Amino acid sequence: MTRADLADVVHNRLGLSRAESAQLVERVLHHMCHSLSEGRNVKISGFGSFILRDKGQRVGRNPKTGIEVAIAPRRVMTFRASQIMRDRIAR
């Protein structure tokens, strides 16, 4: 599903103009990105949670050469689907 698909759903369900629908979708996504960039998790009830995790430094291995390489600490985002979403997907 793309942003355009989401905007079409908003347009069809709420009756907003296509431009207003696209702007609404962009604003929601902007607020989600902004919250995540400030280190806050985003939870959408009935859908799931976007969770930020800090990963520590670790040693990895280059599979081609076998040489050990230090992997720097970093922040990653994970998604955990809600139980409602998992039940719908399992059907």
Side-chain angles (χ1 to χ4, degrees):
M1 179 171 256
T2 65
R3 291 176 181 192
D5 295 335
L6 288 171
D8 282 341
V9 171
V10 171
H11 168 70
N12 293 333
R13 297 261 174 108
L14 299 181
L16 298 175
S17 72
R18 291 196 185 277
E20 289 173 328
S21 299
Q23 186 179 26
L24 178 65
V25 169
E26 287 299 321
R27 290 183 70 187
V28 168
L29 293 174
H30 171 77
H31 286 297
M32 289 174 62
C33 290
H34 183 70
S35 292
L36 289 165
S37 69
E38 289 188 342
R40 296 190 308 252
N41 295 333
V42 174
K43 179 179 180 180
I44 301 172
S45 183
F47 180 72
S49 300
F50 296 92
I51 302 166
L52 296 171
R53 292 183 43 213
D54 291 319
K55 290 188 143 192
Q57 182 173 341
R58 63 186 176 93
V59 176
R61 187 176 306 274
N62 182 330
K64 192 172 187 178
T65 64
I67 298 173
E68 289 187 352
V69 179
I71 299 174
R74 63 198 184 279
R75 177 172 276 176
V76 297
M77 182 184 67
T78 60
F79 175 74
R80 179 162 169 82
S82 71
Q83 189 62 48
I84 295 168
M85 179 65 75
R86 284 188 252 152
D87 291 344
R88 287 183 181 176
I89 292 171
R91 283 189 220 157

